[in-house]
Amino acid sequence: MKKLFLALLLVALAAPPAQAATQKRTVVYYQTQYSNGATGTYVSPKPLVDRNTGVTDVLVAAIHLNDNRIVHLNDHPPSHPRYAQMWQDLAAMQARGVNVIGMVGGAAPGSFQRLDTRFAEYYPLLRDTIRTYRLNGVDLDVEERMSLAGIRRVIDQLKADFGAGFLVTLSPVASALRGGGNLSGFDYEELYRSHGSKIAWFNGQFYNGWGNAGSTAHYDQIINRRLIPANKVVLGTLTNPANGGSGHVSTATLRNTVTSLKTKYSDFGGVAGWEYFNSLPGGTAEPWRWAADVTAMQR
């Protein structure tokens, strides 16, 4: 009886199963949980489902594995009271079929160096965070040098620990997917050759000079290399020109690009937006409108 009870408990605590995309993906990065700084207003992601935007995936950013072996979500541990409402809202979104994915890394360095060189110390911190917050997957945003063997080991262990349905995505700059430069130190095409079956998709960064979402040209260059298929390449865009650099395109221009891509590629992977809280055209008052517009473009 004791073994049966433990087995049932583990099932109850498991994350909801990741949802297979039945439409083109509408992916939203969610890093700014409070507008106007630490004392600002809480920015809930829940309107993304309450307004029926068609969002498929919310990427909660950014998880850091700090050198004191303490996990942070941005500037605080994920257990901090400031995140209590956020975790409740995300769980409600999961219950309605949205995948909640933790984004690891990003512009702040260190997490992947530690996973690369001190795996036995730091990987369990990531594993336990995934379990505690019942994440459907992780997005590995490697913006520092890491070995190819190191990223393969992380992916292999994630799939071993969480199963085939657990989503592992990566967020390289778009040029890395067409044989060009990248920020990660390893070759993404080599990674795909060995681990493509374990990678759910890539959120390619088509902005900041690494790619352009103003036309299909850079996306086409990736697909024309005949290695990574279109269903694994999501067009990553800026939702607002204030969000981290150059390359923002207007809604009208993005619509033209997406319309062309879905015509060229029946299995086009979808669109991702960095980031949620001030997404145009709704801005901070109605940031959910970006996701609704993107979903409509893809139908």
Side-chain angles (χ1 to χ4, degrees):
M1 288 295 291
K2 185 176 181 181
K3 289 183 178 179
L4 177 60
F5 173 78
L6 289 173
L8 291 172
L9 181 62
L10 288 172
V11 169
L13 292 176
Q19 303 293 312
T22 56
Q23 62 187 64
K24 310 299 184 188
R25 300 180 187 95
T26 298
V27 181
V28 172
Y29 281 89
Y30 174 48
Q31 180 173 44
T32 300
Q33 287 88 22
Y34 286 83
S35 62
N36 302 316
T39 60
T41 303
Y42 169 61
V43 180
S44 173
K46 201 162 169 287
L48 288 164
V49 292
D50 292 340
R51 297 285 185 164
N52 297 313
T53 66
V55 66
T56 56
D57 307 271
V58 173
L59 276 57
V60 184
I63 296 170
H64 304 299
L65 309 178
N66 293 339
D67 57 7
N68 56 6
R69 291 195 285 182
I70 295 177
V71 178
H72 270 191
L73 179 64
N74 299 320
D75 297 327
H76 301 82
S79 60
H80 193 281
R82 69 187 275 111
Y83 296 128
Q85 185 61 54
M86 179 196 77
W87 292 121
Q88 290 181 33
D89 290 348
L90 291 171
M93 296 175 74
Q94 284 178 308
R96 294 173 64 176
V98 176
N99 294 317
V100 173
I101 297 170
M103 192 203 92
V104 183
S111 296
F112 288 104
Q113 293 173 11
R114 295 174 191 116
L115 286 170
D116 197 9
T117 62
R118 299 163 68 184
F119 182 82
E121 289 179 70
Y122 281 91
Y123 174 79
L125 303 179
L126 175 59
R127 178 200 63 208
D128 293 348
T129 300
I130 293 166
R131 287 176 176 165
T132 298
Y133 298 100
R134 305 180 69 204
L135 301 177
N136 297 112
V138 292
D139 180 61
L140 305 174
D141 187 359
V142 188
E143 298 188 20
E144 58 185 311
R145 294 195 66 81
M146 186 179 193
S147 70
L148 182 59
I151 193 67
R152 284 169 170 163
R153 178 167 56 178
V154 170
I155 294 170
D156 286 341
Q157 195 62 55
L158 286 168
K159 298 300 272 189
D161 287 342
F162 296 102
F166 185 78
L167 299 172
V168 176
T169 67
L170 292 97
S171 292
V173 294
S175 57
L177 300 176
R178 61 178 195 268
N182 73 69
L183 301 174
S184 310
F186 56 82
D187 187 312
Y188 276 87
E189 291 187 318
E190 285 300 310
L191 175 64
Y192 191 80
R193 287 186 180 96
S194 64
H195 282 60
S197 64
K198 296 182 179 182
I199 296 169
W201 69 84
F202 295 101
N203 297 295
Q205 296 181 33
F206 288 80
Y207 49 88
N208 283 353
W210 300 102
N212 191 321
S215 76
T216 69
H218 288 159
Y219 194 100
D220 292 337
Q221 289 174 14
I222 295 168
I223 307 307
N224 289 343
R225 292 176 72 82
R226 299 185 182 278
L227 175 63
I228 305 172
N231 70 340
K232 295 218 175 177
V233 182
V234 168
L235 183 78
T237 66
L238 294 175
T239 63
N240 188 309
N243 291 349
S246 61
H248 173 263
V249 297
S250 68
T251 300
T253 299
L254 182 61
R255 182 180 295 109
N256 290 337
T257 300
V258 170
T259 299
S260 295
L261 286 173
K262 71 178 186 179
T263 300
K264 286 184 176 185
Y265 311 108
S266 61
D267 58 345
F268 167 55
V271 182
W274 179 273
E275 61 167 313
Y276 171 63
F277 84 105
N278 63 349
S279 301
L280 297 176
T284 56
E286 297 179 321
W288 52 269
R289 286 180 56 193
W290 180 91
D293 286 351
V294 164
T295 298
M297 292 174 197
Q298 299 187 83
R299 286 179 174 162

